[in-house]
Structures are given as structure tokens and as C-alpha cells.
Amino acid sequence: MSIMIFTAIPKLRSASDTQSRFFKDSDTLQTQESSLPERHYQFRRGELLSSSSRTIWQIETGFVRTITWNESGTVITLGVWGCGDLIGQSLSQLQPYQIECLTEVCARKLSEVESLSPTAMLNHVHQTEKLLSIVHQKQTSTKILLLLEWLAQRFGNKNEMGWVLEFKLTHQVISEIIGTTRVTVTRIMQQLEQEGHLIRDRRSLILPIQH
């Protein structure tokens, strides 16, 4: 039996906090960029990357999610992205559109000309489609397990114990991705643990692979 291990990150701020921080983070972005090497920028967990219409980012280290929200303020996660992925407003027709750091992030700013190759665009579409198929599963427990499996396949490193991920999504972020409540995610995670689908300790989340 192989297993997947997820190390934890602190809880993200709420959707309302994300919206209220948008203009403040945008104001500080230029200062951060001017003090760093050309076109390579660093961001703290919870910060927003610039999402202007002509900015494309390539993630070099760390993880981000792209989000929008509806008229009632409910957050809709468009994707979870890591090393090598290209993201930006040019790849989406949605407004509002934000890029939020799930961990500390190093990213490279690219021009549209050098970044929007057919391969890059196809990869973006494929990952978006996969996430869409996960969130439309009927059972919430299935959504959670498939989400963790997808993240492991994309970002994990396999060793003799199984798949190892460098970060774990909070219950709040999981709930926003799959379209449920944090309380529901917590309850189902506890149920999955009792059934042997999840093993949790103080520092990690272990997901046994069922054969």
C-alpha cells in the first residue's frame, strides 16, 4: 500500500478579507517588484499577485490559487497552481479575477508574447477541466478524495512511502474549492479518517492508496 503525505500550512484569510486587501496589496506590489531582481518576484502567504490584463506569471516555487466570486461574495476557486504553471488574467474571461498565494511564492513575470504558447494554453485548459470534473461529483467525500489525489499527482514527489506534498490545504480552502462549508469538510474528513481513508498526525496528512 502506498501513501501520500501532506505537510500543513496556516489557515488563509476569508474571501471578504481577500477583497478588502486587494487595493492595498496592489499598492505595495510595485515597491516589492522594484527591490527584486529583474522580473523575478517573491510573495508571502496570503498575498495577491498582480492580475492586470497584460500580466502573465510563471510560478517558480510555492503554490497559488486563482479565484473569483459571485454577487453574494462566495469564493469560486478556478485552479490551484504550482511550479512551472502559467497564470494570469489573459487566460481567463472572468471578472473579478485574483491570484492568491497559498504558500510563500517566487514567480517570474512574463510578456504575453513569450508565454502564451499553444502548449501552455492547453495545459491550463486541461487542469481547469480536471478541477471542474472533481467539483461536480455528487458525494462530498468523493470530491475531497479526488481533490487530494489530483494535487498529489500534480505536485507530489513519490518515495518508498508514497506521495509527498509540500503543503496541505486548510478545510476552509477545500470547502471553497468544492463548494461546501468548512464545517462539512471537517466532519467528512473526520469520517474518512475513521474509515481508514485518511491518517492525520500533528504535522501531516496521510492518504493511503486503495488498490
Side-chain angles (χ1 to χ4, degrees):
M1 178 178 71
S2 60
I3 57 177
M4 293 183 288
I5 303 176
F6 302 78
T7 55
I9 61 171
K11 183 178 179 181
L12 294 172
R13 298 181 178 88
S14 66
S16 59
D17 291 336
T18 298
Q19 297 176 46
S20 64
R21 293 192 339 269
F22 175 70
F23 292 108
K24 181 176 70 174
D25 287 350
S26 298
D27 291 340
T28 60
L29 183 59
Q30 290 183 341
T31 301
Q32 291 176 313
E33 293 178 350
S34 62
S35 62
L36 292 167
E38 182 180 1
R39 299 204 300 177
H40 293 262
Y41 311 113
Q42 295 176 343
F43 302 89
R44 294 184 298 271
R45 182 181 60 252
E47 287 187 330
L48 303 176
L49 278 67
S50 170
S51 54
S52 65
S53 60
R54 299 189 62 83
T55 299
I56 296 292
W57 294 98
Q58 182 175 47
I59 305 302
E60 297 187 331
T61 62
F63 301 92
V64 304
R65 66 169 173 166
T66 47
I67 61 173
T68 188
W69 55 86
N70 61 22
E71 62 278 2
S72 63
T74 300
V75 170
I76 302 169
T77 299
L78 306 174
V80 179
W81 313 96
C83 181
D85 286 331
L86 299 178
I87 51 176
Q89 180 69 70
S90 298
L91 294 169
S92 175
Q93 296 296 315
L94 295 177
Q95 288 286 357
Y97 176 93
Q98 289 186 354
I99 306 168
E100 183 175 28
C101 296
L102 298 176
T103 64
E104 291 187 353
V105 169
C106 179
R108 180 182 177 219
K109 183 182 287 188
L110 306 175
S111 68
E112 292 181 315
V113 173
E114 68 178 308
S115 59
L116 293 183
S117 66
T119 300
M121 296 180 69
L122 280 175
N123 178 68
H124 198 278
V125 170
H126 291 163
Q127 300 306 330
T128 301
E129 287 180 338
K130 181 60 178 179
L131 181 57
L132 188 62
S133 71
I134 291 172
V135 301
H136 279 83
Q137 296 293 318
K138 291 184 178 180
Q139 295 186 346
T140 303
S141 59
T142 301
K143 293 180 183 181
I144 293 174
L145 288 173
L146 288 178
L147 176 64
L148 296 177
E149 178 182 348
W150 176 63
L151 291 172
Q153 291 174 350
R154 291 202 64 205
F155 306 127
N157 297 308
K158 196 173 185 180
N159 61 21
E160 67 279 1
M161 299 181 65
W163 290 95
V164 181
L165 282 180
E166 297 178 354
F167 78 108
K168 182 182 74 174
L169 297 178
T170 66
H171 290 186
Q172 179 63 39
V173 171
I174 292 175
S175 71
E176 292 172 353
I177 291 175
I178 65 176
T180 187
T181 66
R182 181 187 56 79
V183 173
T184 298
V185 170
T186 299
R187 175 177 57 80
I188 291 179
M189 293 281 279
Q190 292 172 346
Q191 177 183 336
L192 292 172
E193 184 176 15
Q194 293 171 359
E195 295 174 351
H197 297 291
L198 299 176
I199 302 172
R200 291 186 286 186
D201 59 29
R202 295 178 61 185
R203 297 184 59 186
S204 63
L205 171 67
I206 303 171
L207 180 64
I209 305 299
Q210 306 296 327
H211 295 288

